[in-house]
Amino acid sequence: MNEASREIDTAEQPGRPRPLQPLPEVQAFLASRRSRPAKTLDKTPPDRTDLEAMLTVAARSPDHGKLEPWRFVIAGRDAMARLEDAAVARGEALGRDAESVAKAARNFGFGGVIVVVVASPKPAAKIPEWEQALSAGAVCLALVNAALAASWGANWLTGPFARDDVFLHEAMGCAQGEYVAGFIHIGRETVVPPDRPRPDIAAITTWL
């Protein structure tokens, strides 16, 4: 038995830690990841195969109890235009001022596709809804990272219609109790934004 085989056999024994196998390229990507502002994305969408690959990655997010308390709604360019119109109509029905309505609705025009991550909480005695909401948030970040890793630009937005029951039901067919964890805009990036200030880890970390 050679040395490499002995290490593998030892690592597979119950209670034995596996050897560390860092992935420097993945670590470098995560350390430098940067969302692309939605308004800077062009209108080119990924094809269905590429998009499904991103969704598959996003769906590997933590999910206590395997409840799948989230689902995806894909809005291509035509559907994005309909969402924009629906947002204007809903904003006007609520009596909001024209400027804020136009600004919120305009967001639905950014990018080549919007993946709507719909939080869909499930009844579970041991898994509270707030924990399921965290899982939906994890899916949003994983989807953004999957898009960025595939060289697309991506941005995670919410906005005033993410929890508007009437808009969600009429525009996207959401059921009672569902809401939007994130509108994930994906398209080709047109600019690479400068990095923004990052947290001071020492200031926000407590060592026990």
Side-chain angles (χ1 to χ4, degrees):
M1 180 183 297
N2 60 38
E3 192 64 29
S5 297
R6 185 178 298 111
E7 287 183 3
I8 294 174
D9 291 344
T10 300
E12 295 299 329
Q13 294 178 16
R16 296 272 189 172
R18 292 179 60 83
L20 296 177
Q21 297 177 320
L23 299 174
E25 66 280 11
V26 177
Q27 292 174 314
F29 165 74
L30 293 174
S32 62
R33 62 158 302 283
R34 170 74 164 89
S35 298
R36 277 31 178 177
K39 64 183 179 182
T40 69
L41 302 177
D42 82 350
K43 300 185 186 304
T44 306
D47 64 29
R48 182 164 181 157
T49 298
D50 288 344
L51 189 54
E52 287 180 341
M54 297 176 202
L55 300 180
T56 300
V57 170
R60 292 185 67 93
S61 296
D63 174 16
H64 185 193
K66 299 180 182 179
L67 297 177
E68 297 179 12
W70 26 260
R71 60 187 182 87
F72 303 114
V73 175
I74 311 301
R77 290 299 312 171
D78 289 344
M80 290 166 64
R82 291 194 296 271
L83 289 175
E84 188 169 354
D85 290 342
V88 170
R90 179 58 177 157
E92 291 175 346
L94 290 171
R96 294 175 178 164
D97 67 273
E99 184 178 352
S100 64
V101 169
K103 181 179 179 180
R106 192 162 52 244
N107 285 344
F108 291 107
F110 297 143
V113 66
I114 298 175
V115 178
V116 187
V117 180
V118 178
S120 185
K122 303 296 192 297
K126 296 183 179 179
I127 306 172
E129 186 172 329
W130 64 263
E131 190 172 303
Q132 298 182 48
L134 292 177
S135 180
V139 168
C140 292
L141 177 58
L143 180 54
V144 170
N145 282 345
L148 294 174
S151 197
W152 290 88
N155 195 235
W156 172 4
L157 298 180
T158 50
F161 299 106
R163 299 184 73 98
D164 185 295
D165 291 339
V166 173
F167 175 83
L168 296 179
H169 175 69
E170 294 182 352
M172 293 187 296
C174 289
Q176 183 68 32
E178 292 187 327
Y179 58 91
V180 171
F183 295 104
I184 311 302
H185 299 250
I186 301 174
R188 290 190 182 277
E189 59 184 42
T190 60
V191 297
V192 178
D195 201 7
R196 60 179 177 80
R198 299 294 170 173
D200 179 353
I201 298 303
I204 60 173
T205 303
T206 301
W207 297 81
L208 300 179

Tab-separated table of all heavy atoms in Angstrom, residues 136-190:
chain	number	residue	atom	x	y	z
A	136	ALA	N	-34.130	30.517	2.314
A	136	ALA	CA	-34.442	31.211	1.062
A	136	ALA	C	-33.398	32.281	0.760
A	136	ALA	O	-32.999	32.470	-0.397
A	136	ALA	CB	-35.840	31.830	1.139
A	137	GLY	N	-32.938	32.977	1.788
A	137	GLY	CA	-31.887	33.966	1.595
A	137	GLY	C	-30.588	33.330	1.132
A	137	GLY	O	-29.870	33.885	0.290
A	138	ALA	N	-30.294	32.153	1.685
A	138	ALA	CA	-29.082	31.442	1.266
A	138	ALA	C	-29.167	31.062	-0.204
A	138	ALA	O	-28.164	31.117	-0.937
A	138	ALA	CB	-28.892	30.189	2.134
A	139	VAL	N	-30.350	30.690	-0.660
A	139	VAL	CA	-30.546	30.361	-2.072
A	139	VAL	C	-30.263	31.579	-2.945
A	139	VAL	O	-29.628	31.471	-3.995
A	139	VAL	CB	-31.979	29.835	-2.305
A	139	VAL	CG1	-32.301	29.767	-3.795
A	139	VAL	CG2	-32.151	28.460	-1.675
A	140	CYS	N	-30.718	32.743	-2.506
A	140	CYS	CA	-30.476	33.972	-3.276
A	140	CYS	C	-28.982	34.230	-3.453
A	140	CYS	O	-28.507	34.506	-4.567
A	140	CYS	CB	-31.134	35.166	-2.588
A	140	CYS	SG	-32.935	35.150	-2.590
A	141	LEU	N	-28.244	34.162	-2.366
A	141	LEU	CA	-26.802	34.408	-2.460
A	141	LEU	C	-26.117	33.340	-3.302
A	141	LEU	O	-25.242	33.650	-4.118
A	141	LEU	CB	-26.176	34.457	-1.065
A	141	LEU	CG	-24.649	34.649	-1.042
A	141	LEU	CD1	-24.246	35.931	-1.761
A	141	LEU	CD2	-24.133	34.665	0.391
A	142	ALA	N	-26.525	32.084	-3.125
A	142	ALA	CA	-25.911	31.012	-3.906
A	142	ALA	C	-26.169	31.196	-5.391
A	142	ALA	O	-25.293	30.923	-6.226
A	142	ALA	CB	-26.451	29.656	-3.438
A	143	LEU	N	-27.348	31.687	-5.732
A	143	LEU	CA	-27.658	31.907	-7.143
A	143	LEU	C	-26.830	33.052	-7.711
A	143	LEU	O	-26.316	32.963	-8.835
A	143	LEU	CB	-29.152	32.192	-7.309
A	143	LEU	CG	-29.650	32.448	-8.726
A	143	LEU	CD1	-29.264	31.308	-9.663
A	143	LEU	CD2	-31.165	32.642	-8.728
A	144	VAL	N	-26.694	34.127	-6.960
A	144	VAL	CA	-25.836	35.228	-7.410
A	144	VAL	C	-24.409	34.733	-7.631
A	144	VAL	O	-23.785	35.013	-8.665
A	144	VAL	CB	-25.854	36.396	-6.397
A	144	VAL	CG1	-24.775	37.425	-6.741
A	144	VAL	CG2	-27.218	37.064	-6.366
A	145	ASN	N	-23.895	33.980	-6.674
A	145	ASN	CA	-22.526	33.479	-6.798
A	145	ASN	C	-22.377	32.511	-7.963
A	145	ASN	O	-21.354	32.498	-8.654
A	145	ASN	CB	-22.088	32.819	-5.495
A	145	ASN	CG	-21.707	33.831	-4.434
A	145	ASN	OD1	-21.495	35.004	-4.729
A	145	ASN	ND2	-21.628	33.388	-3.186
A	146	ALA	N	-23.404	31.679	-8.200
A	146	ALA	CA	-23.348	30.745	-9.327
A	146	ALA	C	-23.295	31.502	-10.644
A	146	ALA	O	-22.550	31.133	-11.565
A	146	ALA	CB	-24.561	29.814	-9.294
A	147	ALA	N	-24.068	32.586	-10.733
A	147	ALA	CA	-24.052	33.391	-11.953
A	147	ALA	C	-22.697	34.079	-12.136
A	147	ALA	O	-22.124	34.080	-13.239
A	147	ALA	CB	-25.170	34.428	-11.915
A	148	LEU	N	-22.177	34.650	-11.059
A	148	LEU	CA	-20.881	35.317	-11.145
A	148	LEU	C	-19.776	34.325	-11.515
A	148	LEU	O	-18.887	34.643	-12.322
A	148	LEU	CB	-20.550	35.985	-9.810
A	148	LEU	CG	-21.439	37.149	-9.365
A	148	LEU	CD1	-21.061	37.596	-7.958
A	148	LEU	CD2	-21.357	38.317	-10.346
A	149	ALA	N	-19.832	33.135	-10.937
A	149	ALA	CA	-18.816	32.122	-11.226
A	149	ALA	C	-18.873	31.682	-12.686
A	149	ALA	O	-17.866	31.242	-13.242
A	149	ALA	CB	-18.995	30.920	-10.301
A	150	ALA	N	-20.053	31.800	-13.301
A	150	ALA	CA	-20.208	31.444	-14.714
A	150	ALA	C	-19.923	32.633	-15.630
A	150	ALA	O	-20.182	32.571	-16.833
A	150	ALA	CB	-21.620	30.913	-14.963
A	151	SER	N	-19.421	33.731	-15.043
A	151	SER	CA	-19.002	34.930	-15.764
A	151	SER	C	-20.153	35.834	-16.185
A	151	SER	O	-19.980	36.737	-17.003
A	151	SER	CB	-18.168	34.564	-17.008
A	151	SER	OG	-17.458	35.686	-17.475
A	152	TRP	N	-21.320	35.629	-15.593
A	152	TRP	CA	-22.436	36.541	-15.807
A	152	TRP	C	-22.422	37.608	-14.726
A	152	TRP	O	-21.842	37.426	-13.660
A	152	TRP	CB	-23.766	35.782	-15.776
A	152	TRP	CG	-23.957	34.889	-16.947
A	152	TRP	CD1	-23.541	33.589	-17.058
A	152	TRP	CD2	-24.568	35.227	-18.189
A	152	TRP	NE1	-23.863	33.106	-18.297
A	152	TRP	CE2	-24.499	34.082	-19.009
A	152	TRP	CE3	-25.171	36.376	-18.682
A	152	TRP	CZ2	-25.003	34.059	-20.309
A	152	TRP	CZ3	-25.687	36.364	-19.977
A	152	TRP	CH2	-25.597	35.215	-20.774
A	153	GLY	N	-23.098	38.711	-15.003
A	153	GLY	CA	-23.324	39.700	-13.962
A	153	GLY	C	-24.623	39.348	-13.250
A	153	GLY	O	-25.552	38.824	-13.867
A	154	ALA	N	-24.696	39.632	-11.956
A	154	ALA	CA	-25.904	39.295	-11.205
A	154	ALA	C	-26.067	40.241	-10.030
A	154	ALA	O	-25.087	40.731	-9.465
A	154	ALA	CB	-25.854	37.852	-10.715
A	155	ASN	N	-27.329	40.469	-9.687
A	155	ASN	CA	-27.644	41.351	-8.570
A	155	ASN	C	-28.914	40.870	-7.885
A	155	ASN	O	-29.847	40.406	-8.530
A	155	ASN	CB	-27.829	42.783	-9.074
A	155	ASN	CG	-27.791	43.816	-7.966
A	155	ASN	OD1	-28.716	44.602	-7.806
A	155	ASN	ND2	-26.719	43.844	-7.202
A	156	TRP	N	-28.936	40.999	-6.563
A	156	TRP	CA	-30.057	40.554	-5.735
A	156	TRP	C	-30.810	41.790	-5.246
A	156	TRP	O	-30.282	42.599	-4.494
A	156	TRP	CB	-29.499	39.739	-4.572
A	156	TRP	CG	-30.445	39.316	-3.487
A	156	TRP	CD1	-31.792	39.496	-3.419
A	156	TRP	CD2	-30.085	38.624	-2.287
A	156	TRP	NE1	-32.300	38.954	-2.261
A	156	TRP	CE2	-31.275	38.416	-1.536
A	156	TRP	CE3	-28.878	38.165	-1.762
A	156	TRP	CZ2	-31.279	37.771	-0.309
A	156	TRP	CZ3	-28.887	37.519	-0.538
A	156	TRP	CH2	-30.074	37.323	0.169
A	157	LEU	N	-32.055	41.936	-5.692
A	157	LEU	CA	-32.888	43.053	-5.279
A	157	LEU	C	-34.168	42.543	-4.601
A	157	LEU	O	-34.535	41.379	-4.767
A	157	LEU	CB	-33.280	43.923	-6.481
A	157	LEU	CG	-32.149	44.600	-7.265
A	157	LEU	CD1	-32.742	45.405	-8.423
A	157	LEU	CD2	-31.312	45.492	-6.370
A	158	THR	N	-34.805	43.418	-3.856
A	158	THR	CA	-36.131	43.100	-3.310
A	158	THR	C	-37.081	44.222	-3.741
A	158	THR	O	-37.676	44.150	-4.790
A	158	THR	CB	-36.098	42.939	-1.779
A	158	THR	OG1	-35.438	44.071	-1.190
A	158	THR	CG2	-35.391	41.658	-1.382
A	159	GLY	N	-37.231	45.257	-2.947
A	159	GLY	CA	-38.088	46.369	-3.333
A	159	GLY	C	-39.481	46.280	-2.736
A	159	GLY	O	-39.830	45.305	-2.067
A	160	PRO	N	-40.307	47.296	-2.984
A	160	PRO	CA	-41.600	47.414	-2.305
A	160	PRO	C	-42.630	46.362	-2.702
A	160	PRO	O	-43.637	46.198	-2.007
A	160	PRO	CB	-42.081	48.814	-2.706
A	160	PRO	CG	-41.369	49.112	-3.987
A	160	PRO	CD	-40.035	48.449	-3.853
A	161	PHE	N	-42.406	45.647	-3.801
A	161	PHE	CA	-43.402	44.668	-4.236
A	161	PHE	C	-43.064	43.241	-3.815
A	161	PHE	O	-43.821	42.314	-4.083
A	161	PHE	CB	-43.573	44.736	-5.754
A	161	PHE	CG	-44.061	46.073	-6.220
A	161	PHE	CD1	-43.204	46.956	-6.865
A	161	PHE	CD2	-45.366	46.476	-5.984
A	161	PHE	CE1	-43.647	48.202	-7.273
A	161	PHE	CE2	-45.822	47.715	-6.388
A	161	PHE	CZ	-44.961	48.585	-7.033
A	162	ALA	N	-41.939	43.071	-3.125
A	162	ALA	CA	-41.512	41.733	-2.736
A	162	ALA	C	-42.449	41.087	-1.723
A	162	ALA	O	-42.505	39.852	-1.609
A	162	ALA	CB	-40.086	41.768	-2.171
A	163	ARG	N	-43.195	41.913	-0.978
A	163	ARG	CA	-44.108	41.377	0.026
A	163	ARG	C	-45.519	41.955	-0.130
A	163	ARG	O	-46.303	41.950	0.817
A	163	ARG	CB	-43.564	41.651	1.431
A	163	ARG	CG	-42.208	40.999	1.700
A	163	ARG	CD	-41.765	41.213	3.129
A	163	ARG	NE	-42.520	40.404	4.060
A	163	ARG	CZ	-42.116	39.237	4.567
A	163	ARG	NH1	-40.954	38.742	4.208
A	163	ARG	NH2	-42.865	38.567	5.408
A	164	ASP	N	-45.822	42.418	-1.321
A	164	ASP	CA	-47.159	42.932	-1.607
A	164	ASP	C	-48.018	41.766	-2.108
A	164	ASP	O	-47.861	41.295	-3.238
A	164	ASP	CB	-47.083	44.037	-2.657
A	164	ASP	CG	-48.424	44.704	-2.906
A	164	ASP	OD1	-49.342	44.026	-3.407
A	164	ASP	OD2	-48.570	45.897	-2.595
A	165	ASP	N	-48.928	41.290	-1.272
A	165	ASP	CA	-49.706	40.090	-1.584
A	165	ASP	C	-50.476	40.210	-2.892
A	165	ASP	O	-50.559	39.248	-3.671
A	165	ASP	CB	-50.671	39.766	-0.444
A	165	ASP	CG	-49.960	39.300	0.819
A	165	ASP	OD1	-48.802	38.847	0.701
A	165	ASP	OD2	-50.552	39.379	1.906
A	166	VAL	N	-51.066	41.381	-3.126
A	166	VAL	CA	-51.860	41.560	-4.339
A	166	VAL	C	-50.973	41.470	-5.582
A	166	VAL	O	-51.282	40.750	-6.549
A	166	VAL	CB	-52.611	42.911	-4.303
A	166	VAL	CG1	-53.299	43.169	-5.645
A	166	VAL	CG2	-53.631	42.915	-3.173
A	167	PHE	N	-49.867	42.184	-5.574
A	167	PHE	CA	-48.942	42.145	-6.713
A	167	PHE	C	-48.427	40.728	-6.941
A	167	PHE	O	-48.409	40.233	-8.077
A	167	PHE	CB	-47.774	43.099	-6.469
A	167	PHE	CG	-46.709	43.034	-7.530
A	167	PHE	CD1	-46.851	43.737	-8.714
A	167	PHE	CD2	-45.570	42.270	-7.341
A	167	PHE	CE1	-45.872	43.676	-9.704
A	167	PHE	CE2	-44.590	42.204	-8.316
A	167	PHE	CZ	-44.735	42.908	-9.495
A	168	LEU	N	-48.005	40.066	-5.872
A	168	LEU	CA	-47.419	38.734	-6.009
A	168	LEU	C	-48.427	37.740	-6.563
A	168	LEU	O	-48.095	36.894	-7.398
A	168	LEU	CB	-46.897	38.256	-4.657
A	168	LEU	CG	-45.752	39.084	-4.052
A	168	LEU	CD1	-45.354	38.515	-2.697
A	168	LEU	CD2	-44.551	39.109	-4.990
A	169	HIS	N	-49.664	37.832	-6.100
A	169	HIS	CA	-50.688	36.900	-6.573
A	169	HIS	C	-51.069	37.181	-8.020
A	169	HIS	O	-51.116	36.268	-8.856
A	169	HIS	CB	-51.930	36.979	-5.681
A	169	HIS	CG	-53.072	36.140	-6.176
A	169	HIS	ND1	-53.035	34.762	-6.160
A	169	HIS	CD2	-54.267	36.492	-6.733
A	169	HIS	CE1	-54.155	34.288	-6.662
A	169	HIS	NE2	-54.919	35.311	-7.020
A	170	GLU	N	-51.321	38.448	-8.332
A	170	GLU	CA	-51.810	38.785	-9.669
A	170	GLU	C	-50.718	38.714	-10.724
A	170	GLU	O	-50.978	38.312	-11.869
A	170	GLU	CB	-52.437	40.178	-9.651
A	170	GLU	CG	-53.712	40.257	-8.806
A	170	GLU	CD	-54.346	41.635	-8.837
A	170	GLU	OE1	-53.721	42.567	-9.395
A	170	GLU	OE2	-55.465	41.770	-8.298
A	171	ALA	N	-49.500	39.098	-10.377
A	171	ALA	CA	-48.425	39.154	-11.369
A	171	ALA	C	-47.658	37.846	-11.510
A	171	ALA	O	-47.121	37.550	-12.582
A	171	ALA	CB	-47.448	40.286	-11.018
A	172	MET	N	-47.604	37.059	-10.424
A	172	MET	CA	-46.781	35.843	-10.472
A	172	MET	C	-47.481	34.595	-9.955
A	172	MET	O	-46.885	33.530	-9.908
A	172	MET	CB	-45.477	36.064	-9.683
A	172	MET	CG	-44.559	37.081	-10.323
A	172	MET	SD	-42.959	37.180	-9.500
A	172	MET	CE	-43.466	37.774	-7.892
A	173	GLY	N	-48.723	34.717	-9.548
A	173	GLY	CA	-49.455	33.545	-9.103
A	173	GLY	C	-49.009	33.007	-7.758
A	173	GLY	O	-49.198	31.811	-7.477
A	174	CYS	N	-48.423	33.840	-6.928
A	174	CYS	CA	-47.975	33.388	-5.615
A	174	CYS	C	-49.178	33.048	-4.732
A	174	CYS	O	-50.231	33.681	-4.810
A	174	CYS	CB	-47.120	34.446	-4.932
A	174	CYS	SG	-45.495	34.666	-5.692
A	175	ALA	N	-48.995	32.044	-3.888
A	175	ALA	CA	-50.046	31.615	-2.977
A	175	ALA	C	-50.001	32.453	-1.702
A	175	ALA	O	-49.015	33.147	-1.422
A	175	ALA	CB	-49.879	30.144	-2.641
A	176	GLN	N	-51.065	32.367	-0.934
A	176	GLN	CA	-51.119	33.052	0.353
A	176	GLN	C	-49.963	32.582	1.230
A	176	GLN	O	-49.708	31.389	1.346
A	176	GLN	CB	-52.442	32.754	1.058
A	176	GLN	CG	-52.648	33.473	2.370
A	176	GLN	CD	-52.812	34.975	2.183
A	176	GLN	OE1	-53.336	35.425	1.163
A	176	GLN	NE2	-52.361	35.752	3.150
A	177	GLY	N	-49.254	33.521	1.836
A	177	GLY	CA	-48.137	33.177	2.706
A	177	GLY	C	-46.791	33.168	2.004
A	177	GLY	O	-45.749	33.137	2.657
A	178	GLU	N	-46.793	33.176	0.671
A	178	GLU	CA	-45.535	33.243	-0.065
A	178	GLU	C	-45.112	34.705	-0.234
A	178	GLU	O	-45.943	35.612	-0.239
A	178	GLU	CB	-45.672	32.589	-1.439
A	178	GLU	CG	-45.868	31.085	-1.381
A	178	GLU	CD	-45.843	30.441	-2.751
A	178	GLU	OE1	-46.294	31.086	-3.735
A	178	GLU	OE2	-45.385	29.290	-2.865
A	179	TYR	N	-43.822	34.909	-0.373
A	179	TYR	CA	-43.299	36.254	-0.634
A	179	TYR	C	-41.981	36.107	-1.378
A	179	TYR	O	-41.468	34.988	-1.544
A	179	TYR	CB	-43.099	37.028	0.677
A	179	TYR	CG	-42.175	36.358	1.668
A	179	TYR	CD1	-40.810	36.635	1.674
A	179	TYR	CD2	-42.666	35.446	2.599
A	179	TYR	CE1	-39.953	36.019	2.573
A	179	TYR	CE2	-41.816	34.823	3.501
A	179	TYR	CZ	-40.466	35.112	3.484
A	179	TYR	OH	-39.626	34.484	4.368
A	180	VAL	N	-41.448	37.212	-1.840
A	180	VAL	CA	-40.214	37.161	-2.620
A	180	VAL	C	-39.010	37.392	-1.713
A	180	VAL	O	-38.906	38.433	-1.062
A	180	VAL	CB	-40.237	38.213	-3.759
A	180	VAL	CG1	-38.865	38.308	-4.426
A	180	VAL	CG2	-41.297	37.841	-4.782
A	181	ALA	N	-38.131	36.410	-1.688
A	181	ALA	CA	-36.871	36.577	-0.961
A	181	ALA	C	-35.891	37.391	-1.779
A	181	ALA	O	-35.041	38.095	-1.220
A	181	ALA	CB	-36.275	35.210	-0.623
A	182	GLY	N	-35.997	37.292	-3.092
A	182	GLY	CA	-35.094	38.072	-3.924
A	182	GLY	C	-35.471	38.015	-5.395
A	182	GLY	O	-35.884	36.967	-5.895
A	183	PHE	N	-35.360	39.161	-6.048
A	183	PHE	CA	-35.400	39.218	-7.503
A	183	PHE	C	-33.935	39.185	-7.943
A	183	PHE	O	-33.194	40.158	-7.722
A	183	PHE	CB	-36.065	40.507	-7.996
A	183	PHE	CG	-37.522	40.635	-7.641
A	183	PHE	CD1	-37.929	41.479	-6.613
A	183	PHE	CD2	-38.490	39.921	-8.339
A	183	PHE	CE1	-39.274	41.615	-6.296
A	183	PHE	CE2	-39.837	40.054	-8.022
A	183	PHE	CZ	-40.232	40.891	-7.002
A	184	ILE	N	-33.506	38.099	-8.553
A	184	ILE	CA	-32.108	37.961	-8.951
A	184	ILE	C	-31.990	38.304	-10.435
A	184	ILE	O	-32.449	37.560	-11.304
A	184	ILE	CB	-31.580	36.532	-8.696
A	184	ILE	CG1	-31.924	36.070	-7.269
A	184	ILE	CG2	-30.071	36.490	-8.939
A	184	ILE	CD1	-31.391	36.955	-6.166
A	185	HIS	N	-31.380	39.456	-10.710
A	185	HIS	CA	-31.206	39.933	-12.076
A	185	HIS	C	-29.903	39.367	-12.639
A	185	HIS	O	-28.845	39.483	-12.006
A	185	HIS	CB	-31.152	41.459	-12.102
A	185	HIS	CG	-32.403	42.109	-11.597
A	185	HIS	ND1	-33.270	42.792	-12.417
A	185	HIS	CD2	-32.946	42.177	-10.347
A	185	HIS	CE1	-34.289	43.244	-11.708
A	185	HIS	NE2	-34.109	42.896	-10.437
A	186	ILE	N	-29.997	38.797	-13.830
A	186	ILE	CA	-28.819	38.203	-14.463
A	186	ILE	C	-28.714	38.706	-15.896
A	186	ILE	O	-29.702	38.756	-16.632
A	186	ILE	CB	-28.907	36.657	-14.464
A	186	ILE	CG1	-29.027	36.123	-13.032
A	186	ILE	CG2	-27.677	36.046	-15.155
A	186	ILE	CD1	-29.264	34.628	-12.952
A	187	GLY	N	-27.516	39.095	-16.279
A	187	GLY	CA	-27.256	39.546	-17.646
A	187	GLY	C	-25.756	39.697	-17.840
A	187	GLY	O	-24.974	39.505	-16.905
A	188	ARG	N	-25.370	40.045	-19.031
A	188	ARG	CA	-23.943	40.293	-19.251
A	188	ARG	C	-23.569	41.618	-18.601
A	188	ARG	O	-24.293	42.603	-18.716
A	188	ARG	CB	-23.620	40.323	-20.746
A	188	ARG	CG	-23.728	38.959	-21.405
A	188	ARG	CD	-23.160	38.992	-22.814
A	188	ARG	NE	-23.306	37.713	-23.476
A	188	ARG	CZ	-22.463	36.675	-23.332
A	188	ARG	NH1	-21.413	36.808	-22.539
A	188	ARG	NH2	-22.670	35.553	-23.962
A	189	GLU	N	-22.431	41.630	-17.935
A	189	GLU	CA	-22.009	42.863	-17.279
A	189	GLU	C	-21.428	43.820	-18.304
A	189	GLU	O	-20.788	43.408	-19.273
A	189	GLU	CB	-20.994	42.570	-16.178
A	189	GLU	CG	-19.733	41.868	-16.645
A	189	GLU	CD	-18.811	41.530	-15.480
A	189	GLU	OE1	-19.297	41.082	-14.435
A	189	GLU	OE2	-17.592	41.719	-15.658
A	190	THR	N	-21.686	45.086	-18.104
A	190	THR	CA	-21.154	46.114	-19.004
A	190	THR	C	-20.030	46.908	-18.361
A	190	THR	O	-19.251	47.552	-19.066
A	190	THR	CB	-22.273	47.089	-19.431
A	190	THR	OG1	-22.819	47.723	-18.262
A	190	THR	CG2	-23.386	46.343	-20.160
